[in-house]
Amino acid sequence: MSAVFKFSHISSLYLTFCLLFVLALSAKNYDATLCHDDERQALLQFKSGLVDEADRLASWVGETSDCCKWAGITCDNITGHVHKIHLPGICAYPSDYNTIKEYNEAARQMLRGDISQSILYLKQLEHLDLSCNDFRGIQIPRFMGSLGNLRYLNLSRSGFGGTIPPQLGNLTELEVLCLGSSYHAFESTSIINMQWLSSMRSLRHLDMSGVNLTEASDWFQVINTLPSLAQLHLSRSGLPDIHPNVASLNLTFLSSLDLSGNYFYNSFMPRWIFSITSLVSLDLSWCNLRGLPIPSSTSSFHNLTSLKFLHISENESMSSSLVLKELSSIGGNLISLDMRFCGVKSATLDSLHNLTSLLSLDLSENQLTSTIPKSLGNLCNLRHIDMGLNNFQNISLTSLLRSFLDCKSPSLESLQLGENGISGPIPESIGNLSFLRSLYLSWNLISGPIPESIGNLSFLRSLYLSWNLISGPIPYSVGGLSSLESFDVSYNHLTGTLPESLGQLSKLKYLYLSHNLLTGVVTDAHFSKLIGLKNLDGSGNNLTLRPHHANWVPSFQLESLDISSWDLGPQFPLWLLTQRDLSSLYMRNTKISSTMPESFWRSFPNLELLDMSQNQIQGRLFEIPATLYEVDLSSNLFSGKLPKLFNSSMLNVLDLSNNSFTGSLFHLLCSWGGNVIEALNLANNHLSGAIPKCWVKWQSLRFLNLENNNLSGVIPTAMGYLSSLVSLNMCKNKLSGRLPASLMWLKELQILEFASNELVGSIPTWIGTELLDLRILNLRSNSFDGTISHELCYLTAIQILDFAHNNLSGNIPRCFNNFTVLSKKETIEIDPFSVIFVVFGNIVITNSASLVMKGQEYTYSTNLDLVMFLDLSGNKLSGSIPVELMALQALQSLNISNNQLTGVIPKNIGDMKLLESFDVSSNHLSGELPMSLSGLTFLSSFNVSFNNLTGRIPTSTQLQSFNESSFFGNKLCGVPLTQICGEIEHHKDQQEGDTSHGVDFGLIISILLGFFVGFWSIVIPLNVGTIWILLSKLRYMLGC
């Protein structure tokens, strides 16, 4: 006994000694280098294959440094072997970023390049995470299948492409495998056969969302061989079949199943899902399921007793009362239900009862028209509800919220009721929802004031009331919203001044007040504690900013600022120069008339979007910083030469129109090597000289306006390089020569304007055969000659054609009826890029056309796509007016005046029902005015003067309202002329061809001549009065 005890005691001492030795060794080496030399070299080689723009791997240096302390590396504390590489990027979509700067910074954090085989030397590697990086479409390396010790592999959303290698099936110890794709530009992975997954018997988490599985017909069978699987994510994978008739699966541990975004072509909800009683979360959104299978004891929602999260949105057939009753059978476990866009109607909501534990409910984008019934669970327990995009147009906000407002202790934290047509005021009792954190009521018809009780919502983080009819002042009580981060009341009818209490919202980040009726003075007191403010948009109000202190330095650092239409002037606001984080700055029409500070550009190193148009800012622009994407400095008083662009410039839009820039275009166009600019507007300056030839650098250009300058010389052939150009305007310059044939390569052109220049030659036939997308062709006031070629009739989409005031001759082509837009045979919406060029921010560049309509010159811009116009006036055109021209039934203005046209006005001119302006004056037209003119009810301008027209003016409201001058120089009679039509003229149509009832003018002339010759010598003494009496009688006989 004692021997045994002694042996046991010695053994215990020995084990204790060994443990202490190990601990001491561990402590001794804690600060020593744990990293193995071969693994350090492997990691350095791995780094050398990567592109690390953000220098995330800066710590990975040195031949003797401890790699276990490098960023993203974890080693075993005892052995020192690397067992974890954790280098994920930032997992977010472009829409998640507020500014381009934020997005670009996130992109910089993404690793690129190649994955080196050197990681195979990391024999003890258990964890590898390279998710959310950017490997630009390279294939996942096959050698990764040799990392046999891996337990965790995450390569999702990293821009891999091609087929996922089946060698990954060798990773039999793997517990987590994430290969999901996103909407990445380069990311397109696929699997044809999933059999290799069967060997991963330890797999607990599998994510292949976004991987193309359309050819993986064995997916269902393979998944059933993974007994340990707890989470399965196969969303957006194009699964070929959901196997609705299979009764059960062996996945007894599965707690989360996501098959959303797969289109199963009107399949029933599969029976096997109801056999997985362990399910906690189920997502079948966007699956086009058409309801439940035939109800049975094994295919019912009541089997899913553990289910807490259910997402079945975008399945319209899941809205029947039968389905809702089935959902209700889940009972008290369900805490989140998403039925967005399922076609749910208010009448069927009663079937959805007994969900007493429900905390989150999404019924948005359905067909709800009345309030939620109280039978739907315990509404007082609901924390999140979304009923946006329904139809509550006959319901007031008070009625809709009554079920929540009546709660003694409402739990509601998030309320989304946007885009519903809700009317009425915001109830004062809204302040009783004391736990509310998010309130979204935008895009409704809510009226009345914002109640004072809104200030009671001390937990509120976001308040969205934009695009309503809310009036009155912003209540002073908003200063009590101590947790508020986002406040949006834009596009309402708010009046009064801004309350100074806004300055107390120390957590406020986003403040949107734009497009209201706010007035008064804003001072630094309104911003006193807004230390976290990032975005401020107060545009479209009549506010005046006057800080109390001239050297005011705001406590915030803004990233985006829009105070357009505020009064900031006349001096440039110097406090603005302290906002070094600004990426977007909009200050249109702010009454600044001083010189731009010399330090302006240096003060904003991150500036990307700038709009300071419609001011009177003076000075010179020497350069545009390379960080800027869009610049609008139009309608100011800038002078001197055009600014220089840096070679590294990423400028996308530049508008310097309506200034006083002088000199050549060469300084701007030819001094840089970039080609990313899409819009360039230099119209209405004093630029001179020839147009440079360096257009090869501008091949991304879509919009070019050089109108109203003093540019001279010929149009360079090099402009043919602008293959992306949609709109080209060079009107009102001094350009000469012919249109270069290289312009035929501008296949994308929709607008071509060269009016008011000195161009010569014939109008090229290639305009009609090559520029087939043209909508607007304006060659007015040049010296073009020759005929109008029939090839121009291929411009079927044309809607504005202006050849006025040239030297064109010949006939008007009869084939103009091929213009399908003008003839209403086809409706084509003009590309918004060609009329209104809208870019990332609020910068808008508009094209324009100066057209003569109704006798006056008008400039059309934002409504240019609505104008239908044909002007051939002031030429030498001859022949008759083609009857085919009357087929242009969409035409609003037709001007063919001041030509040499003959013949009659076509009788079917009345077919042009939309005609507002019609001018055929100063031609040689004859005949009568067609009676169908009476049907042109939109006519507001009409001129047929100085022709050879005869007969009565047709009766209509429009024609009789025009001035006499519209009919001068003809032989017309009737209102509005003073010349009254006589009996003969009145009955002319009935008497035409019947000479027996007419007057014999030959006989009358003979009698008249005989009278004067026979009696002249003997009736000389006859007084003049007597002669006039005889002449009057003769006039009466003639009926004139």
Side-chain angles (χ1 to χ4, degrees):
M1 180 87 177
S2 62
V4 173
F5 176 78
K6 184 176 181 180
F7 177 78
S8 177
H9 181 67
I10 293 172
S11 298
S12 297
L13 289 174
Y14 177 75
L15 290 173
T16 301
F17 173 78
C18 290
L19 180 60
L20 289 172
F21 177 77
V22 170
L23 289 174
L25 184 63
S26 177
K28 178 180 179 182
N29 292 329
Y30 184 77
D31 293 327
T33 300
L34 281 173
C35 181
H36 292 256
D37 289 340
D38 56 340
E39 294 187 354
R40 182 192 300 110
Q41 293 301 320
L43 289 173
L44 289 174
Q45 191 172 345
F46 174 70
K47 174 188 176 181
S48 67
L50 300 175
V51 176
D52 179 18
E53 188 177 348
D55 211 15
R56 292 170 55 193
L57 307 182
S59 60
W60 290 34
V61 291
E63 296 294 327
T64 59
S65 64
D66 189 356
C67 66
C68 296
K69 296 179 180 179
W70 291 354
I73 302 298
T74 303
C75 299
D76 187 281
N77 287 334
I78 304 301
T79 65
H81 286 292
V82 174
H83 71 81
K84 185 175 184 179
I85 299 178
H86 190 74
L87 295 172
I90 299 176
C91 289
Y93 294 100
S95 59
D96 296 329
Y97 300 99
N98 294 312
T99 64
I100 299 175
K101 174 191 173 185
E102 289 182 8
Y103 173 74
N104 288 339
E105 182 56 35
R108 287 183 69 252
Q109 299 294 322
M110 296 179 182
L111 299 173
R112 304 196 308 272
D114 296 311
I115 299 175
S116 172
Q117 274 188 293
S118 63
I119 59 172
L120 294 180
Y121 289 98
L122 309 177
K123 303 295 185 182
Q124 302 302 313
L125 191 64
E126 297 179 359
H127 179 113
L128 177 59
D129 190 342
L130 297 175
S131 61
C132 299
N133 285 292
D134 184 9
F135 288 100
R136 303 292 178 95
I138 68 171
Q139 189 176 25
I140 296 174
R142 293 185 177 90
F143 62 76
M144 280 193 174
S146 300
L147 297 171
N149 207 41
L150 273 184
R151 267 69 169 171
Y152 180 102
L153 177 60
N154 190 351
L155 303 177
S156 60
R157 295 176 60 179
S158 282
F160 288 104
T163 302
I164 294 176
Q167 286 82 358
L168 296 183
N170 297 331
L171 306 177
T172 56
E173 302 297 321
L174 212 57
E175 297 177 6
V176 175
L177 176 60
C178 300
L179 301 174
S181 298
S182 64
Y183 301 103
H184 198 287
F186 298 98
E187 195 162 29
S188 180
T189 52
S190 62
I191 296 177
I192 297 176
N193 188 311
M194 295 181 66
Q195 194 60 43
W196 53 270
L197 276 170
S198 301
S199 59
M200 298 181 180
R201 309 286 293 180
S202 300
L203 203 61
R204 292 184 294 104
H205 183 115
L206 175 61
D207 184 355
M208 289 189 174
S209 299
V211 177
N212 187 349
L213 301 179
T214 54
E215 301 296 324
S217 58
D218 60 344
W219 78 271
F220 190 73
Q221 293 78 12
V222 171
I223 295 301
N224 204 23
T225 65
L226 304 176
S228 301
L229 205 59
Q231 294 198 39
L232 176 61
H233 301 274
L234 298 176
S235 66
R236 300 176 290 103
S237 296
L239 295 175
D241 189 6
I242 199 172
H243 301 276
N245 297 316
V246 175
S248 62
L249 281 183
N250 298 326
L251 305 178
T252 55
F253 295 103
L254 194 65
S255 62
S256 180
L257 174 62
D258 183 359
L259 300 179
S260 63
N262 290 289
Y263 195 83
F264 292 119
Y265 300 98
N266 291 312
S267 172
F268 286 111
M269 188 167 176
R271 296 169 58 194
W272 54 266
I273 284 182
F274 301 112
S275 71
I276 310 175
T277 57
S278 56
L279 272 181
V280 174
S281 176
L282 174 62
D283 192 344
L284 297 173
S285 303
W286 283 85
C287 286
N288 197 38
L289 298 175
R290 58 186 178 100
L292 301 176
I294 299 174
S296 67
S297 59
T298 58
S299 58
S300 174
F301 272 111
H302 73 260
N303 293 332
L304 304 180
T305 55
S306 300
L307 196 64
K308 293 184 177 181
F309 305 93
L310 177 60
H311 302 271
I312 54 173
S313 64
E314 308 283 347
N315 293 287
E316 290 197 39
S317 56
M318 299 292 283
S319 60
S320 68
S321 58
L322 174 63
V323 173
L324 297 184
K325 286 178 181 177
E326 276 287 308
L327 292 177
S328 186
S329 69
I330 298 175
N333 290 322
L334 199 65
I335 63 175
S336 178
L337 175 61
D338 181 358
M339 294 191 67
R340 176 172 51 91
F341 203 76
C342 283
V344 178
K345 298 180 180 179
S346 292
T348 60
L349 276 183
D350 280 324
S351 303
L352 197 63
H353 57 276
N354 295 332
L355 302 180
T356 55
S357 298
L358 205 60
L359 300 179
S360 178
L361 176 63
D362 190 344
L363 292 172
S364 62
E365 298 184 71
N366 280 291
Q367 300 173 31
L368 303 181
T369 56
S370 60
T371 57
I372 295 179
K374 292 185 177 181
S375 60
L376 199 157
N378 188 347
L379 296 182
C380 291
N381 286 340
L382 267 180
R383 296 181 183 175
H384 310 280
I385 185 165
D386 187 346
M387 294 192 296
L389 289 161
N390 280 284
N391 185 6
F392 296 124
Q393 290 189 5
N394 297 319
I395 301 178
S396 68
L397 183 59
T398 303
S399 300
L400 201 59
L401 296 180
R402 183 165 289 120
S403 298
F404 304 99
L405 298 175
D406 289 345
C407 297
K408 292 182 179 179
S409 181
S411 302
L412 205 60
E413 297 179 7
S414 174
L415 176 61
Q416 156 65 283
L417 294 173
E419 297 185 63
N420 272 308
I422 300 169
S423 58
I426 301 173
E428 189 72 30
S429 52
I430 195 80
N432 296 335
L433 301 178
S434 54
F435 291 103
L436 208 58
R437 285 167 167 75
S438 176
L439 177 60
Y440 190 97
L441 301 176
S442 295
W443 294 91
N444 282 292
L445 301 172
I446 297 171
S447 57
I450 301 172
E452 287 285 343
S453 64
I454 203 82
N456 298 337
L457 306 178
S458 58
F459 292 108
L460 199 64
R461 294 179 181 173
S462 56
L463 176 58
Y464 296 98
L465 304 176
S466 61
W467 292 96
N468 278 288
L469 305 173
I470 299 172
S471 57
I474 298 174
Y476 192 86
S477 63
V478 296
L481 301 176
S482 55
S483 301
L484 199 64
E485 298 177 0
S486 298
F487 183 40
D488 187 354
V489 291
S490 55
Y491 292 93
N492 278 286
H493 299 158
L494 294 171
T495 56
T497 60
L498 288 182
E500 286 192 2
S501 59
L502 274 175
Q504 303 302 309
L505 304 179
S506 59
K507 295 185 179 180
L508 196 63
K509 296 180 180 178
Y510 309 102
L511 177 58
Y512 304 111
L513 309 167
S514 67
H515 296 90
N516 279 283
L517 304 172
L518 298 171
T519 58
V521 177
V522 179
T523 70
D524 43 356
H526 290 85
F527 305 102
S528 58
K529 294 183 180 179
L530 303 187
I531 57 175
L533 194 62
K534 296 298 181 184
N535 289 11
L536 170 59
D537 186 352
S539 61
N541 288 286
N542 190 19
L543 294 167
T544 300
L545 182 57
R546 293 289 184 266
H548 288 144
H549 306 285
N551 57 349
W552 176 51
V553 178
S555 59
F556 49 74
Q557 275 293 323
L558 294 172
E559 295 175 357
S560 176
L561 174 63
D562 189 348
I563 46 177
S564 299
S565 299
W566 287 31
D567 184 351
L568 305 181
Q571 297 301 313
F572 198 94
L574 296 180
W575 62 266
L576 188 64
L577 304 180
T578 67
Q579 302 300 296
R580 297 187 60 81
D581 290 344
L582 274 176
S583 61
S584 60
L585 173 60
Y586 303 104
M587 291 171 53
R588 295 183 303 274
N589 187 27
T590 53
K591 300 183 180 179
I592 300 173
S593 57
S594 62
T595 303
M596 178 183 285
E598 187 272 334
S599 61
F600 179 82
W601 298 113
R602 297 196 305 272
S603 300
F604 308 113
N606 302 310
L607 197 61
E608 297 169 349
L609 311 176
L610 174 65
D611 184 352
M612 296 174 63
S613 61
Q614 301 176 44
N615 286 284
Q616 293 183 324
I617 302 173
Q618 306 171 37
R620 299 186 62 179
L621 293 178
F622 294 98
E623 57 191 30
I624 302 292
T627 60
L628 283 156
Y629 284 83
E630 285 102 27
V631 175
D632 187 353
L633 296 174
S634 62
S635 301
N636 279 286
L637 298 176
F638 289 107
S639 58
K641 293 183 178 180
L642 290 170
K644 180 182 178 181
L645 299 179
F646 290 95
N647 285 334
S648 58
S649 176
M650 296 299 294
L651 198 63
N652 185 253
V653 175
L654 178 60
D655 190 348
L656 301 177
S657 62
N658 297 290
N659 279 282
S660 298
F661 289 106
T662 57
S664 170
L665 293 171
F666 187 88
H667 187 63
L668 173 69
L669 297 181
C670 305
S671 62
W672 76 307
N675 60 354
V676 295
I677 289 187
E678 294 187 42
L680 177 62
N681 191 355
L682 301 175
N684 301 304
N685 279 284
H686 305 300
L687 301 171
S688 59
I691 298 175
K693 301 178 181 179
C694 50
W695 293 103
V696 68
K697 302 179 179 182
W698 294 77
Q699 296 184 43
S700 296
L701 205 61
R702 293 172 59 84
F703 179 105
L704 175 60
N705 192 343
L706 302 176
E707 180 183 14
N708 198 22
N709 282 284
N710 294 312
L711 300 172
S712 58
V714 299
I715 301 168
T717 303
M719 293 196 77
Y721 286 113
L722 304 179
S723 56
S724 300
L725 206 61
V726 174
S727 177
L728 174 59
N729 188 342
M730 291 188 171
C731 297
K732 298 180 180 179
N733 281 284
K734 298 177 181 177
L735 301 174
S736 57
R738 298 173 179 266
L739 290 177
S742 61
L743 296 184
M744 74 172 67
W745 302 114
L746 310 184
K747 306 290 188 180
E748 304 294 321
L749 265 184
Q750 294 187 22
I751 295 181
L752 180 60
E753 298 191 77
F754 282 109
S756 300
N757 279 285
E758 300 170 5
L759 300 172
V760 297
S762 60
I763 296 176
T765 58
W766 50 258
I767 291 181
T769 58
E770 303 297 332
L771 307 183
L772 298 178
D773 289 335
L774 273 183
R775 307 287 197 266
I776 299 172
L777 177 58
N778 189 351
L779 302 178
R780 182 184 188 90
S781 299
N782 280 281
S783 298
F784 289 109
D785 55 26
T787 62
I788 300 175
S789 66
H790 288 73
E791 283 81 2
L792 292 177
C793 297
Y794 292 118
L795 301 177
T796 57
I798 202 75
Q799 61 188 71
I800 294 177
L801 181 64
D802 193 345
F803 291 165
H805 297 286
N806 281 282
N807 296 315
L808 301 173
S809 58
N811 297 332
I812 299 174
R814 296 185 179 276
C815 57
F816 272 11
N817 60 351
N818 290 341
F819 298 155
T820 55
V821 173
L822 288 178
S823 61
K824 298 180 71 172
K825 297 175 185 176
E826 184 178 2
T827 301
I828 300 179
E829 291 187 4
I830 198 165
D831 186 340
F833 273 100
S834 61
V835 177
I836 306 175
F837 192 90
V838 184
V839 290
F840 295 109
N842 295 332
I843 295 177
V844 177
I845 294 183
T846 59
N847 204 340
S848 62
S850 296
L851 306 174
V852 176
M853 189 183 292
K854 304 176 185 178
Q856 295 183 346
E857 184 172 346
Y858 297 93
T859 299
Y860 296 87
S861 54
T862 55
N863 58 346
L864 197 56
D865 59 325
L866 303 177
V867 179
M868 304 292 170
F869 180 95
L870 175 60
D871 193 343
L872 304 177
S873 64
N875 283 285
K876 299 176 183 178
L877 299 173
S878 57
S880 61
I881 301 174
V883 175
E884 292 82 359
L885 203 62
M886 303 302 104
L888 305 183
Q889 297 181 22
L891 207 60
Q892 297 163 329
S893 178
L894 174 60
N895 191 346
I896 48 178
S897 64
N898 290 284
N899 280 287
Q900 300 170 14
L901 299 173
T902 57
V904 300
I905 299 174
K907 291 183 178 181
N908 59 336
I909 188 174
D911 294 342
M912 306 173 78
K913 300 292 186 183
L914 300 179
L915 208 60
E916 300 175 19
S917 179
F918 178 65
D919 192 346
V920 293
S921 61
S922 300
N923 279 286
H924 305 304
L925 300 174
S926 58
E928 298 182 343
L929 292 177
M931 292 301 297
S932 63
L933 282 170
S934 302
L936 301 181
T937 56
F938 290 103
L939 267 184
S940 58
S941 178
F942 182 79
N943 195 346
V944 294
S945 63
F946 301 104
N947 280 283
N948 299 316
L949 300 171
T950 60
R952 175 184 293 274
I953 297 172
T955 302
S956 74
T957 304
Q958 273 70 28
L959 292 178
Q960 271 66 50
S961 67
F962 295 123
N963 192 281
E964 292 182 66
S965 60
S966 298
F967 304 92
F968 280 171
N970 291 286
K971 298 178 181 178
L972 296 169
C973 62
V975 180
L977 296 176
T978 57
Q979 185 70 41
I980 305 300
C981 296
E983 199 64 26
I984 295 173
E985 183 65 23
H986 185 67
H987 296 291
K988 183 175 181 180
D989 289 339
Q990 290 85 352
Q991 298 172 344
E992 189 173 352
D994 188 353
T995 59
S996 63
H997 299 287
V999 177
D1000 192 340
F1001 288 101
L1003 179 60
I1004 293 174
I1005 293 172
S1006 298
I1007 293 173
L1008 186 62
L1009 287 174
F1011 175 83
F1012 280 106
V1013 172
F1015 293 98
W1016 184 258
S1017 59
I1018 61 176
V1019 293
I1020 289 176
L1022 203 63
N1023 61 53
V1024 176
T1026 304
I1027 295 174
W1028 278 111
I1029 291 172
L1030 292 173
L1031 289 175
S1032 297
K1033 290 180 180 180
L1034 183 62
R1035 181 181 177 186
Y1036 177 79
M1037 291 174 59
L1038 294 174
C1040 297

PDB file of all heavy atoms in Angstrom, residues 842-854:
ATOM      1  N   ASN A 842     -24.685  66.003 -58.388  1.00  0.00           N
ATOM      2  CA  ASN A 842     -25.804  66.822 -58.830  1.00  0.00           C
ATOM      3  C   ASN A 842     -25.465  67.673 -60.041  1.00  0.00           C
ATOM      4  O   ASN A 842     -26.250  68.522 -60.437  1.00  0.00           O
ATOM      5  CB  ASN A 842     -26.244  67.751 -57.687  1.00  0.00           C
ATOM      6  CG  ASN A 842     -26.798  66.977 -56.518  1.00  0.00           C
ATOM      7  OD1 ASN A 842     -27.322  65.891 -56.682  1.00  0.00           O
ATOM      8  ND2 ASN A 842     -26.674  67.520 -55.323  1.00  0.00           N
ATOM      9  N   ILE A 843     -24.313  67.466 -60.620  1.00  0.00           N
ATOM     10  CA  ILE A 843     -23.901  68.266 -61.771  1.00  0.00           C
ATOM     11  C   ILE A 843     -24.666  67.820 -63.013  1.00  0.00           C
ATOM     12  O   ILE A 843     -24.696  66.640 -63.344  1.00  0.00           O
ATOM     13  CB  ILE A 843     -22.390  68.152 -62.011  1.00  0.00           C
ATOM     14  CG1 ILE A 843     -21.633  68.768 -60.832  1.00  0.00           C
ATOM     15  CG2 ILE A 843     -21.996  68.822 -63.316  1.00  0.00           C
ATOM     16  CD1 ILE A 843     -20.144  68.652 -60.937  1.00  0.00           C
ATOM     17  N   VAL A 844     -25.293  68.771 -63.689  1.00  0.00           N
ATOM     18  CA  VAL A 844     -26.062  68.489 -64.897  1.00  0.00           C
ATOM     19  C   VAL A 844     -25.574  69.411 -66.013  1.00  0.00           C
ATOM     20  O   VAL A 844     -25.511  70.619 -65.836  1.00  0.00           O
ATOM     21  CB  VAL A 844     -27.570  68.721 -64.663  1.00  0.00           C
ATOM     22  CG1 VAL A 844     -28.341  68.487 -65.950  1.00  0.00           C
ATOM     23  CG2 VAL A 844     -28.078  67.811 -63.560  1.00  0.00           C
ATOM     24  N   ILE A 845     -25.200  68.829 -67.127  1.00  0.00           N
ATOM     25  CA  ILE A 845     -24.837  69.619 -68.293  1.00  0.00           C
ATOM     26  C   ILE A 845     -25.944  69.423 -69.327  1.00  0.00           C
ATOM     27  O   ILE A 845     -26.290  68.300 -69.667  1.00  0.00           O
ATOM     28  CB  ILE A 845     -23.490  69.176 -68.886  1.00  0.00           C
ATOM     29  CG1 ILE A 845     -22.366  69.487 -67.895  1.00  0.00           C
ATOM     30  CG2 ILE A 845     -23.230  69.859 -70.205  1.00  0.00           C
ATOM     31  CD1 ILE A 845     -21.004  69.156 -68.413  1.00  0.00           C
ATOM     32  N   THR A 846     -26.498  70.517 -69.829  1.00  0.00           N
ATOM     33  CA  THR A 846     -27.592  70.420 -70.785  1.00  0.00           C
ATOM     34  C   THR A 846     -27.136  70.864 -72.162  1.00  0.00           C
ATOM     35  O   THR A 846     -26.394  71.824 -72.306  1.00  0.00           O
ATOM     36  CB  THR A 846     -28.777  71.300 -70.351  1.00  0.00           C
ATOM     37  OG1 THR A 846     -28.345  72.653 -70.251  1.00  0.00           O
ATOM     38  CG2 THR A 846     -29.319  70.849 -69.017  1.00  0.00           C
ATOM     39  N   ASN A 847     -27.586  70.141 -73.145  1.00  0.00           N
ATOM     40  CA  ASN A 847     -27.375  70.579 -74.522  1.00  0.00           C
ATOM     41  C   ASN A 847     -28.462  71.578 -74.874  1.00  0.00           C
ATOM     42  O   ASN A 847     -29.442  71.727 -74.154  1.00  0.00           O
ATOM     43  CB  ASN A 847     -27.445  69.382 -75.464  1.00  0.00           C
ATOM     44  CG  ASN A 847     -26.685  69.647 -76.745  1.00  0.00           C
ATOM     45  OD1 ASN A 847     -26.423  70.796 -77.103  1.00  0.00           O
ATOM     46  ND2 ASN A 847     -26.335  68.583 -77.439  1.00  0.00           N
ATOM     47  N   SER A 848     -28.300  72.279 -75.979  1.00  0.00           N
ATOM     48  CA  SER A 848     -29.289  73.269 -76.378  1.00  0.00           C
ATOM     49  C   SER A 848     -29.282  73.399 -77.886  1.00  0.00           C
ATOM     50  O   SER A 848     -28.335  73.002 -78.562  1.00  0.00           O
ATOM     51  CB  SER A 848     -28.997  74.625 -75.723  1.00  0.00           C
ATOM     52  OG  SER A 848     -27.741  75.124 -76.150  1.00  0.00           O
ATOM     53  N   ALA A 849     -30.376  73.945 -78.394  1.00  0.00           N
ATOM     54  CA  ALA A 849     -30.461  74.237 -79.821  1.00  0.00           C
ATOM     55  C   ALA A 849     -31.240  75.530 -79.990  1.00  0.00           C
ATOM     56  O   ALA A 849     -32.312  75.698 -79.404  1.00  0.00           O
ATOM     57  CB  ALA A 849     -31.153  73.096 -80.562  1.00  0.00           C
ATOM     58  N   SER A 850     -30.688  76.446 -80.791  1.00  0.00           N
ATOM     59  CA  SER A 850     -31.378  77.699 -81.094  1.00  0.00           C
ATOM     60  C   SER A 850     -32.179  77.494 -82.370  1.00  0.00           C
ATOM     61  O   SER A 850     -31.610  77.298 -83.450  1.00  0.00           O
ATOM     62  CB  SER A 850     -30.369  78.832 -81.263  1.00  0.00           C
ATOM     63  OG  SER A 850     -29.690  79.076 -80.048  1.00  0.00           O
ATOM     64  N   LEU A 851     -33.499  77.532 -82.244  1.00  0.00           N
ATOM     65  CA  LEU A 851     -34.390  77.259 -83.357  1.00  0.00           C
ATOM     66  C   LEU A 851     -35.323  78.453 -83.567  1.00  0.00           C
ATOM     67  O   LEU A 851     -35.778  79.071 -82.599  1.00  0.00           O
ATOM     68  CB  LEU A 851     -35.224  76.003 -83.091  1.00  0.00           C
ATOM     69  CG  LEU A 851     -34.433  74.735 -82.746  1.00  0.00           C
ATOM     70  CD1 LEU A 851     -35.386  73.608 -82.369  1.00  0.00           C
ATOM     71  CD2 LEU A 851     -33.545  74.313 -83.913  1.00  0.00           C
ATOM     72  N   VAL A 852     -35.591  78.766 -84.833  1.00  0.00           N
ATOM     73  CA  VAL A 852     -36.536  79.833 -85.149  1.00  0.00           C
ATOM     74  C   VAL A 852     -37.916  79.200 -85.318  1.00  0.00           C
ATOM     75  O   VAL A 852     -38.151  78.418 -86.239  1.00  0.00           O
ATOM     76  CB  VAL A 852     -36.129  80.600 -86.417  1.00  0.00           C
ATOM     77  CG1 VAL A 852     -37.193  81.632 -86.771  1.00  0.00           C
ATOM     78  CG2 VAL A 852     -34.778  81.271 -86.205  1.00  0.00           C
ATOM     79  N   MET A 853     -38.801  79.547 -84.411  1.00  0.00           N
ATOM     80  CA  MET A 853     -40.155  79.029 -84.454  1.00  0.00           C
ATOM     81  C   MET A 853     -41.118  80.170 -84.163  1.00  0.00           C
ATOM     82  O   MET A 853     -40.866  80.994 -83.282  1.00  0.00           O
ATOM     83  CB  MET A 853     -40.327  77.893 -83.420  1.00  0.00           C
ATOM     84  CG  MET A 853     -41.652  77.143 -83.535  1.00  0.00           C
ATOM     85  SD  MET A 853     -41.855  75.858 -82.252  1.00  0.00           S
ATOM     86  CE  MET A 853     -40.603  74.695 -82.762  1.00  0.00           C
ATOM     87  N   LYS A 854     -42.202  80.219 -84.929  1.00  0.00           N
ATOM     88  CA  LYS A 854     -43.215  81.273 -84.766  1.00  0.00           C
ATOM     89  C   LYS A 854     -42.607  82.663 -84.987  1.00  0.00           C
ATOM     90  O   LYS A 854     -42.991  83.641 -84.342  1.00  0.00           O
ATOM     91  CB  LYS A 854     -43.859  81.189 -83.386  1.00  0.00           C
ATOM     92  CG  LYS A 854     -44.463  79.817 -83.084  1.00  0.00           C
ATOM     93  CD  LYS A 854     -45.013  79.731 -81.679  1.00  0.00           C
ATOM     94  CE  LYS A 854     -45.493  78.323 -81.384  1.00  0.00           C
ATOM     95  NZ  LYS A 854     -46.009  78.176 -80.003  1.00  0.00           N
TER      96      LYS A 854
END
